[in-house]
Amino acid sequence: DQQVKQNSPSLSVQEGRISILNCDYTNSMFDYFLWYKKYPAEGPTFLISISSIKDKNEDGRFTVFLNKSAKHLSLHIVPSQPGDSAVYFCAATVPGTASKLTFGTGTRLQVTL
Amino acid sequence: GAVVSQHPSRVICKSGTSVKIECRSLDFQATTMFWYRQFPKQSLMLMATSNEGSKATYEQGVEKDKFLINHASLTLSTLTVTSAHPEDSSFYICSASVGLDSYQETQYFGPGTRLLVL
């Protein structure tokens, strides 16, 4: 039962344009959402997060939007840079399980010149 | 920043043998370490949570007698896959945090170990 879904396995975006990565979830108990970035041969690194009490969180070029009614979140990267090319995972947690992350399957982003 | 290493990065073994994977926090003390498994085209799945000096807590469906976890020090946790079979072939990745109540973003991941059982 995949509770966190990333339906696009890959995405290609031109440098300077906006990258939009999407994530859907089914468990209405999730109250905290995170995005991780993973380069080949490295572990995932934390990128940005959002609490369910918010609908937007911004950090530099990265913005995460949360639509609770649709059980959908998205990560916007603008402007996209070649160094952003990586696999992006969204993850979620439920209250009371602070560090138990439920991950999506990941989206491979390729930023082209 | 905090660095977590894993050794080996990849291992090939015969069916029926045991394989040990090490996870080390290099520049911080990790009271809690997590072990995940990722099958091809699937998400990272939490296998178990281990706290230094105590028994690991396994997720539902994960056999504790098959996946032995030892967290003997604040910088080292090991995962031993006992009597490995081809279906155990997967990508195993660990993470470490400074405490179970830490914010999720302070969970630092290792680079992973790819296990292939022939």
Side-chain angles (χ1 to χ4, degrees):
Chain A
D1 177 29
Q2 191 68 36
Q3 296 186 58
V4 179
K5 301 176 184 179
Q6 293 175 256
N7 292 318
S8 297
S10 64
L11 175 68
S12 182
V13 173
Q14 207 169 21
E15 182 181 13
R17 301 284 185 118
I18 185 171
S19 295
I20 300 177
L21 296 97
N22 293 303
C23 180
D24 298 293
Y25 61 96
T26 57
N27 189 343
S28 58
M29 296 297 291
F30 287 141
D31 71 336
Y32 196 80
F33 304 88
L34 309 91
W35 284 94
Y36 283 83
K37 176 179 177 180
K38 184 182 182 303
Y39 291 118
E42 295 182 14
T45 55
F46 170 75
L47 196 56
I48 192 169
S49 63
I50 188 167
S51 166
S52 60
I53 62 173
K54 294 185 176 182
D55 55 18
K56 177 182 175 181
N57 187 26
E58 191 172 351
D59 183 3
R61 297 186 297 114
F62 303 92
T63 303
V64 57
F65 295 92
L66 175 62
N67 183 333
K68 283 183 63 179
S69 61
K71 294 190 177 67
H72 176 82
L73 65 154
S74 61
L75 173 68
H76 292 211
I77 306 173
V78 56
S80 301
Q81 299 174 354
D84 296 329
S85 298
V87 177
Y88 291 79
F89 293 95
C90 67
T93 67
V94 299
T97 59
S99 293
K100 182 175 176 178
L101 299 171
T102 300
F103 281 91
T105 51
T107 296
R108 182 176 301 279
L109 172 66
Q110 180 71 41
V111 180
T112 58
L113 298 174
Chain B
V3 179
V4 175
S5 70
Q6 275 184 247
H7 177 79
S9 58
R10 58 179 64 207
V11 57
I12 301 173
C13 70
K14 293 182 179 179
S15 184
T17 61
S18 294
V19 175
K20 181 185 284 188
I21 302 169
E22 292 185 349
C23 176
R24 294 182 185 272
S25 56
L26 297 184
D27 51 2
F28 67 101
Q29 293 185 327
T31 53
T32 305
M33 286 186 170
F34 306 86
W35 286 95
Y36 294 81
R37 179 169 54 182
Q38 183 182 22
F39 291 110
K41 298 187 179 181
Q42 295 186 26
S43 59
L44 286 161
M45 298 294 292
L46 180 65
M47 298 174 67
T49 302
S50 74
N51 292 300
E52 185 264 339
S54 62
K55 289 183 179 180
T57 301
Y58 290 80
E59 294 301 303
Q60 191 174 13
V62 178
E63 299 174 59
K64 60 181 180 181
D65 294 329
K66 180 169 184 63
F67 298 99
L68 301 179
I69 292 172
N70 184 282
H71 192 166
S73 77
L74 288 171
T75 59
L76 173 65
S77 176
T78 60
L79 168 68
T80 301
V81 183
T82 62
S83 187
H85 289 100
E87 57 265 31
D88 298 323
S89 298
S90 186
F91 186 66
Y92 293 86
I93 190 165
C94 72
S95 70
S97 75
V98 294
L100 196 57
D101 294 328
S102 300
Y103 289 112
Q104 289 84 348
E105 51 261 53
T106 57
Q107 195 173 138
Y108 303 102
F109 285 83
T113 296
R114 186 158 303 282
L115 171 64
L116 177 61
V117 184
L118 301 176

